[in-house]
Structures are given as C-alpha cells and as structure tokens.
Amino acid sequence: MSNIKPEDFFKNIISHSKEYGFIFPSSEIYDNGLSAVYDYGQLGAELKKNIRDYWWKAMVQMNENIVGIDSAIFMHPTTWKASGHVDAFNDPLIDNKDSKKRYRADVLIEEHVAKIEDKINKEVEKAAKRFENFDAAMFKSTNARVKEYQDKIDAINERFKTALNANNLDEVKQIIVDLEIVCPISGTKNWTDVRQFNLMFNTSTGAVTDETNIIYLRPETAQGIFVNYLNVQKTGRMKLPFGIAQTGKAFRNEIVARQFIFRMREFEQMEMQFFVKPGTEMEWYEYWKQTRLKWHLSLGLGAEKYRFHDHLKLAHYANAAADIEHQFPFGFKELEGIHSRTDFDLKQHEQFSGKKLQYFDPELNASYVPYVVETSVGLDRLFLSILSSALKEESLEGGDTRTVLSLPPALAPYKAAVFPLVKKDGLPELAESIMKDLKFDFMMAYDEKDTVGKRYRRQDAIGTPFCITVDHQSLEDKTVTIRDRDTMKQDRVAIDKLHSILTEKTSLQSLLKTL
RNA sequence: GCGAAAGUAGCUCAAUUGGUAGAGCUCCAGCCUUCCAAGCUGGAGGUUGCGGGUUCGAGACCCGUCUUUCGCUCCA
C-alpha cells in the first residue's frame, strides 16, 4: 500500500466502502446523492454501532461516576441564545466576483462608515490647529462639512439597521452598491448577492410557520447535557466530580462540507461533560486528555497516527482546549476535542432560564456552579480513521495480493464466518449447525459459494477476524480449523471450544481490559 | 462560494475525426473441487448523473444543472 498515493488511497477507501456496503451516498438514485450526506450500509451500520458501544462502555459502564443520557435533538430555542450559537453564526456574506474574495457585508459597511469618520477627525484636527481654546464637540455640532459627514453616517447606519432587522438582504446589497464600496483587492464593484450563512439548520413546530415557533436542529449534543445537569445530579444522587455522557446526531450547515464522511452536515457526536469543583479543572483536563488518548491507542491502529494539538486561540467558553488528531490519508486532522469549558455554559443557562444550576458541596457547606471538562469525539470521523487505517493491500508470497481490512476484532461487523470446505458429504449441515449455535452471541457469516480460498479473501475484505472451516475430519473428531485474518494461519480446534475462543478474541471486554 | 479535473454495469476502466455501448473483476444458477482469488458452462446487470440544444445520427460537441476529488475560502 505504500506505493499508493494518498489521494488515490482515499478514493480507494470510498470505493471500498461503497462496494462492500459500508457507506453509500445518501439518496444516490437522485442526482448521485445529496451533497455531503451519506448513509451507512449493512456493514457500516455494524461497525459504527460497535464503535459507539465501545465508547459507551468505556465511559459509562467502566466509570461509576459517569452516567449516560439521550436528550432530544429539538431543544428550546432559548438554549441556543444562551449557548451563543444564535449570535455567533448569523453573518451576511458577500463575494467579489473578480477577486473571488468573500467578505462580511456588515464589515464592509462598517469600514466604509469608519472612512467617513476619519474624514471628520481630519476636519477636527485641521480646525484644532487654527483655533485656540478649541471645543471639539462644539465644532462637530456646528461645522457644516462635519455635519454633512455625520448625517451621512447616521443615514447609512439607520438604513443598514432597518435592512438587517427586516432580514432584507437585497437592501443590504443595495447599500453596498449605493455607497460604491469597492473590493480592497480587485478594486471593482462587481459583487454577488448578499447571502445569510447560518450554522444552524432550522425548522418549525406546529402547522403554521412564523417567527415565533422556529426551532433549531442541535449543532452539538453538549447543550442537552447542560440543561439536564440538575435533573441527573439530583435523581442520580451524583457527587462532584461526575460526568454525563451522550451519543447522538448533530447538524451543522457547513458552507463547505468535504472529504467524504469527515465533514458532514449531519453527523454523530459522542460527548461527555465532566462536572468538577472550580479550581480542579486543569487536573481533570489533563486526566481526560490522557485517558482519551489511551482509549484511541487501544484500538491498535498505531501510536504514530495520533498526536495532541493544543489550541492557542481559545473559544469564548474555554480556558484550555486540545484536539486529539489522527493521521488520515489527507493529513493529521481533528478527531476528538478535550475542552475545559469553565462554568460558562451553566452560568449562561442560569441567566437565560432564571433557574439556579448549582451544586451544594457538603464539605464546604456552600453552593457553586461546577466547572466542566468536555470530551467530544465525532463518531463518523472515528469510523473513517479506523476504516482508513485498517484497509490494506498486502503483497503475498508468490506475487499475489490481497485486500484486507484489519479492523480491531471487537469492532468488526462479523466476528467469524463458517465455511464447509466442500458443498457436499454433509459438511454444509455441520457448518450450519455450528453457526446456529454461535449466532446467539456473535455476528456470524456463512458462505459455501466458490473455492474456500476465495471465501477467505471475501471475508478479509470486510474485516472478519476469523474463518471457521468444516472439513471431512470434522465429521470424525468434532474439530474444525480456525483461520486468523491477519496472519492467515490456521489452528485445528474442538468445535465446543469455538465459543470461548471467539469470546476471548472478539469481545469488547478484551478491549476494555486494556484501558 | 470561486477555480481546476472528473462522472459510462456493484467496482476499475475502454469505446478512431460524432456512426450498432464493451472488457476485466464482482454478482447469480449449475458443474468440478480435501484449505488461501483469477477451472468449466450458462445468466443477470446501462435511458452513458440529470435536463435542454446542435446534427440524418451524440457517451463524445454546446448550454444549464447535480454529484465527487483537489486547491483556495470557510469551519465560535
């Protein structure tokens, strides 16, 4: 695989995903799909479910002080005012067709206003030199030229405010045209229409659509945890420090969604908000950085494929933030974020809801708003990181090649496949009975078509870690061969040992024990 | 969003200057087979992404549109 170029390798992953039923473009029969939306197929759904289960068990089952919830995608609209999402992502944008540069329309207009203000200041400076005992305020309110400038500014601001409040984007563009604002780079006035880019998708409740019942699709799952913080703390009798975990869909109206399932408009997050005593957040921040990295390393995809990236520029809610990055075929990219969110979110929700979201600390005999350390990982990105690391073209002795998906066995869609060596002499019947016993506890595949070598290759390509083959000896001594996907080596084992072998090698328990 | 390239069977790709849409692999039904793809026979699968246009005739040329990849841009 080393001689495959990264971009070709990436295309290889996309076609492999499609060919074997991991990922399909959404609504593909119409126009080749909906942009940047993908569906998980029969194998993809299994793999994704197993990844999610592993995360959930590592977080919730293995930590007595972490509990899981499942909050709704729809939330009260005020939630997003409190979180800052409504204000932060409502920018009117405009492009210059010649320079291809994009600007915020409001910034262009503000800059134009600032230029006029400069002119006023120059008039004031000039006048200040001419007169002693100069009164700037008096000058501004009486000088005809300055008053003209100021009237212009007021008119622009008033017109812009009206246009924005009416959400009249055509008028915003008309302002830019009327003011003859030019692009600083191309110097031309060749503008596109003004468009509103909002990060959040919205819809409305009830049959009648109006401003009052607009409702957003959540852009992150975290807020569902924050608004339930007190419910969980009280009903679960949780003591600090404790965590609330959740997995679920989130929606972001990305301007550009790209790179297969790496950046999608509809995606799944796995988040855990850890509530701690103020002042201890940096210890926990470090703890969760290391704990989460260990979790990723336990997948065995290679330690060199992971690294931390500490944020220098912090979001408004954070006092420390780092990403765990993974080396994708297109470079190191963010996989998981660990953020120290302070008490920003809970304080905001206190303020907007008017409800206290505090914790009574019996040791201090005092109440306070806890600090929060967040771990937030994209399930789809995790899926892509595992798939792209696992997919290999191997050269075998004799010049053969094989395609093998070296998934961590505990995450593989099928844990084992059962084959009769030949399709006669009672071998299929024995193979089917073995499979029927095992499928109560394991996802099993069965295949009797084509030569056994071909069947091994088919299972290699979808990541099945073990192939169990029934041969003529099996009829005599109740043993079968079990073949390892990665080494291609076979062992002969008793049929009644299969269950314990598969449990040991393919259960999530084996992974959890490494943490 | 801009620019470049691309879109033909499930996958990878062909199809002389515009002239009957093909191959390999895959898949399905059989045959043959005592352990690592590529043995035999037969079969399925396509309004060439979609919609217009030019032409006697378009997979190919023109326009629009959708989708993908790459580069910018964006991503509190």
Side-chain angles (χ1 to χ4, degrees):
Chain A
M1 66 167 274
S2 52
N3 53 2
I4 302 175
K5 285 187 290 181
E7 58 265 34
D8 292 341
F9 183 59
F10 190 43
K11 283 191 175 178
N12 206 20
I13 290 165
I14 296 171
S15 52
H16 194 87
S17 297
K18 169 93 185 289
E19 181 163 12
Y20 289 94
F22 285 93
I23 297 167
F24 308 122
S26 173
S27 5
E28 193 189 7
I29 59 171
Y30 295 106
D31 295 328
N32 276 335
L34 183 62
S35 179
V37 185
Y38 292 90
D39 295 341
Y40 286 82
Q42 66 277 16
L43 296 182
E46 288 293 333
L47 175 56
K48 189 180 177 193
K49 177 177 73 65
N50 291 340
I51 298 169
R52 189 194 296 113
D53 283 351
Y54 179 42
W55 181 89
W56 187 271
K57 283 174 191 281
M59 282 298 194
V60 177
Q61 189 170 324
M62 300 304 289
N63 292 289
E64 301 89 276
N65 64 340
I66 298 178
V67 293
I69 65 167
D70 183 11
S71 72
I73 287 171
F74 293 148
M75 297 186 70
H76 192 284
T78 310
T79 307
W80 307 112
K81 284 198 165 65
S83 69
H85 285 85
V86 170
D87 293 331
F89 290 97
N90 241 328
D91 302 332
L93 299 178
I94 189 167
D95 293 12
N96 184 273
K97 289 180 188 168
D98 297 314
S99 66
K100 315 291 185 197
K101 288 292 166 189
R102 171 170 297 159
Y103 300 92
R104 279 175 53 175
D106 53 330
V107 170
L108 282 179
I109 292 171
E110 278 162 18
E111 281 173 355
H112 185 80
V113 166
K115 276 183 193 163
I116 302 175
E117 278 170 354
D118 279 349
K119 287 181 181 171
I120 293 180
N121 290 337
K122 275 182 188 158
E123 290 292 334
V124 172
E125 274 175 41
K126 273 199 286 185
K129 283 177 190 167
R130 275 191 307 214
F131 303 106
E132 287 179 29
N133 300 329
F134 178 68
D135 184 340
M138 175 68 86
F139 177 76
K140 277 187 193 171
S141 63
T142 53
N143 180 280
R145 201 175 289 167
V146 169
K147 272 181 77 177
E148 195 184 312
Y149 286 141
Q150 192 58 50
D151 288 348
K152 220 187 240 176
I153 290 173
D154 293 344
I156 293 169
N157 283 340
E158 182 59 33
R159 193 178 165 195
F160 181 52
K161 209 173 109 187
T162 308
L164 266 196
N165 287 341
N167 207 17
N168 185 347
L169 298 179
D170 291 340
E171 170 69 1
V172 174
K173 182 187 179 180
Q174 197 56 48
I175 294 172
I176 288 172
V177 170
D178 291 348
L179 294 177
E180 300 189 330
I181 294 176
V182 299
C183 168
I185 291 172
S186 66
T188 68
K189 292 175 266 188
N190 191 8
W191 297 106
T192 63
D193 287 338
V194 175
R195 283 153 301 183
Q196 194 86 6
F197 285 86
N198 191 331
L199 173 89
M200 289 191 289
F201 285 98
N202 60 52
T203 183
S204 53
T205 54
V208 184
T209 304
D210 66 47
E211 287 280 319
T212 58
N213 53 18
I214 279 186
I215 194 160
Y216 295 103
L217 274 60
R218 62 181 176 194
E220 64 176 23
T221 55
Q223 300 303 325
I225 293 177
F226 294 131
V227 299
N228 278 300
Y229 150 76
L230 207 55
N231 282 339
V232 173
Q233 192 269 320
K234 295 283 188 205
T235 59
R237 298 159 51 234
M238 309 304 288
K239 306 278 185 290
L240 287 189
F242 74 93
I244 304 177
Q246 144 153 270
T247 72
K249 286 282 179 78
F251 304 83
R252 288 185 196 178
N253 195 9
E254 302 282 356
I255 297 169
V256 176
R258 275 277 178 85
Q259 285 161 323
F260 198 36
I261 59 169
F262 184 79
R263 175 166 289 126
M264 294 194 291
R265 299 204 165 94
E266 172 180 344
F267 60 104
E268 189 161 345
Q269 290 186 310
M270 304 195 292
E271 295 196 315
M272 192 278 295
Q273 309 293 330
F274 200 68
F275 300 89
V276 305
K277 189 174 164 182
T280 65
E281 71 272 13
M282 291 315 288
E283 289 165 41
W284 287 110
Y285 170 71
E286 286 303 325
Y287 171 83
W288 282 111
K289 269 176 77 174
Q290 298 308 326
T291 303
R292 291 305 304 152
L293 179 63
K294 203 171 170 192
W295 185 89
H296 288 287
L297 294 178
S298 74
L299 298 173
L301 304 177
E304 75 285 355
K305 291 198 165 171
Y306 298 88
R307 71 180 187 196
F308 283 118
H309 171 75
D310 292 309
H311 289 207
L312 300 174
K313 200 177 135 221
L314 295 171
H316 59 270
Y317 56 71
N319 66 357
D323 295 336
I324 295 174
E325 294 186 335
H326 177 86
Q327 189 173 25
F328 287 92
F330 42 88
F332 270 100
K333 299 279 181 182
E334 177 185 354
L335 189 58
E336 171 153 8
I338 292 107
H339 301 137
S340 175
R341 294 182 76 127
T342 71
D343 57 359
F344 176 84
D345 299 278
L346 290 179
K347 279 239 172 93
Q348 287 289 106
H349 286 304
E350 276 197 331
Q351 190 188 324
F352 278 78
S353 68
K355 305 277 195 311
K356 280 211 184 304
L357 297 176
Q358 301 197 342
Y359 174 77
F360 178 75
D361 190 328
E363 282 178 30
L364 299 178
N365 197 28
S367 294
Y368 51 79
V369 177
Y371 270 43
V372 172
V373 175
E374 164 189 84
T375 73
S376 173
V377 61
L379 177 50
D380 310 276
R381 289 182 178 188
L382 198 48
F383 183 105
L384 183 59
S385 76
I386 292 169
L387 197 68
S388 59
S389 294
L391 184 62
K392 289 166 191 156
E393 287 289 333
E394 266 185 9
S395 298
L396 303 176
E397 290 172 31
D400 280 359
T401 61
R402 69 162 183 160
T403 301
V404 56
L405 199 57
S406 295
L407 297 171
L411 303 184
Y414 290 110
K415 303 310 177 198
V418 184
F419 307 148
L421 184 60
V422 290
K423 199 167 44 174
K424 60 180 184 185
D425 304 335
L427 300 188
E429 289 77 5
L430 179 55
E432 278 174 33
S433 80
I434 290 172
M435 170 155 166
K436 276 178 185 156
D437 282 344
L438 292 172
K439 73 180 179 187
F440 286 99
D441 293 306
F442 306 100
M443 274 295 290
M444 300 293 295
Y446 178 84
D447 198 357
E448 57 180 28
K449 174 79 183 155
D450 299 312
T451 65
V452 72
K454 202 168 199 173
R455 285 176 264 166
Y456 287 145
R457 298 298 168 87
R458 272 203 285 264
Q459 296 301 322
D460 288 343
I462 63 173
T464 307
F466 296 102
C467 291
I468 295 160
T469 303
V470 174
D471 56 18
H472 290 91
Q473 190 182 331
S474 306
L475 298 173
E476 294 160 18
D477 64 4
K478 299 288 175 202
T479 64
V480 290
T481 60
I482 182 164
R483 177 242 191 209
D484 183 278
R485 176 195 64 201
D486 299 323
T487 64
M488 299 171 70
K489 293 228 172 70
Q490 287 175 284
D491 282 329
R492 182 163 283 276
V493 302
I495 290 172
D496 58 17
K497 289 276 190 293
L498 286 171
H499 192 283
S500 62
I501 292 171
L502 289 182
T503 300
E504 184 198 333
K505 308 226 169 171
T506 72
S507 68
L508 274 179
Q509 190 184 77
S510 58
L511 268 187
L512 288 166
K513 280 181 176 166
T514 67
L515 293 178

